[in-house]
Amino acid sequence: MKKALVKISVIIIIIIWMGVIFYFSHQNGRTSTKMSNTITHWIAKEFVPDFSLKSKTEQTKILKNISYIVRKLAHYFEFAVLGLMNLVLAKQFLRKDVWIYPSAIFMSILYAMADEFHQAFVKGRTPMIQDVVIDSLGAITMILLAGSIINLYRAFKKRKTI
């Protein structure tokens, strides 16, 4: 009973997170840009020395560069979280370690592709292979990092019992 509840809970959490990703992807180009610009302006004001003293042309160039990084990091991190959740899900349903990591990676990449496909139907948004790659790298990085931590913990625990 407890294992079934854990499995159901993990599935619900993943569906909610996929909904969050879908929500951000479903925003039209103007809304999405406005959201990133808010973060971008804050970063520029806080971390670029004398930003307010720079010319409008320099400020625009700086903001454009920061905006690009902010938008791509958002892709990376939202899929890193999804990758970790997919790893937890795969561990709940699969018994052979050999299938756990590829399954979590596959599920994450599949959703990254679906997310970009979805953007083809959103006004002002464009699906990009580059974003699928960034999303996938975020998921793969987190899955491999979590797997490494799990394996180190197991090795440490096994060593302590000897």
Side-chain angles (χ1 to χ4, degrees):
M1 177 69 174
K2 186 178 177 184
K3 283 188 177 192
L5 185 60
V6 170
K7 288 179 181 181
I8 291 169
S9 298
V10 170
I11 291 169
I12 290 170
I13 291 169
I14 288 174
I15 290 169
I16 290 169
W17 188 248
M18 288 175 153
V20 168
I21 293 171
F22 184 89
Y23 170 78
F24 285 127
S25 294
H26 196 68
Q27 293 177 336
N28 65 38
R30 174 181 276 155
T31 304
S32 177
T33 299
K34 188 176 178 182
M35 184 184 300
S36 351
N37 284 348
T38 302
I39 296 165
T40 300
H41 279 83
W42 177 82
I43 291 171
K45 288 176 184 174
E46 293 297 321
F47 297 103
V48 176
D50 300 322
F51 177 75
S52 59
L53 302 176
K54 297 189 184 302
S55 71
K56 288 292 179 192
T57 306
E58 286 179 296
Q59 286 182 3
T60 301
K61 185 178 177 183
I62 290 167
L63 289 171
K64 186 177 179 182
N65 290 334
I66 293 172
S67 178
Y68 180 80
I69 293 167
V70 164
R71 292 176 80 84
K72 298 311 169 190
L73 283 174
H75 274 272
Y76 185 88
F77 285 111
E78 67 187 8
F79 276 86
V81 172
L82 182 64
L84 181 61
M85 291 177 181
N86 283 334
L87 178 62
V88 171
L89 180 68
K91 283 189 166 288
Q92 294 299 314
F93 284 92
L94 302 172
R95 292 294 149 231
K96 291 189 176 185
D97 276 351
V98 71
W99 292 108
I100 291 173
Y101 297 95
S103 297
I105 291 169
F106 175 76
M107 290 185 295
S108 301
I109 292 173
L110 189 64
Y111 195 72
M113 292 179 350
D115 180 53
E116 288 305 309
F117 178 73
H118 161 244
Q119 286 186 26
F121 303 101
V122 178
K123 184 179 179 183
R125 300 295 292 267
T126 306
M128 298 175 66
I129 298 286
Q130 175 188 13
D131 287 345
V132 174
V133 171
I134 291 169
D135 297 344
S136 300
L137 287 173
I140 291 167
T141 301
M142 184 58 84
I143 290 165
L144 294 178
L145 179 64
S148 298
I149 291 169
I150 290 166
N151 289 335
L152 282 171
Y153 174 76
R154 284 180 182 163
F156 179 75
K157 192 174 173 183
K158 192 176 191 180
R159 216 165 169 219
K160 257 188 150 180
T161 58
I162 294 177

